[in-house]
Each structure stands twice: as structure tokens, then as C-alpha cells.
Amino acid sequence: MIKTKLSNFLSYLIKQLGNVLYYSLGELTAGLISLLLGFFISTGLSTIPGQTGDWGIIAASLIVAATEFISKLVYSSKFQLSVRINLINNFKVGIIYGLFVDAFKLGS
């Protein structure tokens, strides 16, 4: 096959597309794991103290306060994290989503 500018461009484009898809798939996997981990933790933390019926609201408010404190640490200019912010955000979204699911379970 003769190497033309078009064939060089297409081979470069395919190589770059493969690299982007490879790294995107890894980030997607890590994001889903952190989302599901947040969901699991919020479900566990809001269910275990809620067995007596008295501590469910307090446990949920402590979980929300902890996520807000983590947000304050992550987004402050003084505190720099080496961990990706997307993973932390996915974890927090999982926590909030777990609390909503528990609230819908209790409401029905």
C-alpha cells in the first residue's frame, strides 16, 4: 500500500481514537465503582442506625454533612488532592442517590 497523506491521517486518527476510548473506558469503570461504593455506603449507614426507628434522620443528616465537608475540602484552594475530583464527585453522587432511594423505600 502506498503511504499517502490521507492514509497517514486515517492511521493517526484511528490510533488516537483507540487511545481515547481505552482511557475513557478506564475512567468510566473507576467512576462506576466509586458511584456504586457511595451507594452501598449510604445504604448501609442509613439502614443500620435506622433499625430502632429513631436514628434514621440523624444518620442521614450526618452523611449529608460529611459529604458537604468533603466538598469544602476538595474545592478549597488550600487543600490539594492527588485523587481525581471526578471520583470523589461520583462517590458523593452515589451517597446522595442512596439516600434518595432509601427515602423512597420508606415512603412507600
Side-chain angles (χ1 to χ4, degrees):
M1 184 173 158
I2 299 173
K3 287 289 203 181
T4 62
K5 288 183 180 182
L6 182 61
S7 66
N8 286 339
F9 175 72
L10 288 177
S11 65
Y12 174 77
L13 187 65
I14 290 171
K15 187 186 300 183
Q16 291 301 320
L17 186 64
N19 289 339
V20 167
L21 288 178
Y22 177 74
Y23 289 119
S24 296
L25 195 59
E27 290 178 5
L28 177 67
T29 304
L32 283 175
I33 288 173
S34 66
L35 180 81
L36 292 174
L37 184 66
F39 180 79
F40 177 73
I41 287 175
S42 73
T43 302
L45 289 179
S46 66
T47 304
I48 292 170
Q51 293 294 323
T52 60
D54 299 335
W55 293 94
I57 296 172
I58 295 170
S61 63
L62 288 175
I63 291 170
V64 170
T67 58
E68 291 299 321
F69 180 71
I70 290 170
S71 295
K72 183 179 179 183
L73 285 178
V74 168
Y75 293 116
S76 68
S77 61
K78 296 181 233 173
F79 190 73
Q80 297 295 328
L81 285 177
S82 62
V83 180
R84 292 188 176 177
I85 292 177
N86 289 337
L87 294 179
I88 295 171
N89 283 336
N90 287 340
F91 182 73
K92 291 188 302 183
V93 166
I95 287 175
I96 300 299
Y97 179 67
L99 291 176
F100 273 110
V101 169
D102 283 341
F104 285 132
K105 285 191 287 191
L106 294 174
S108 61

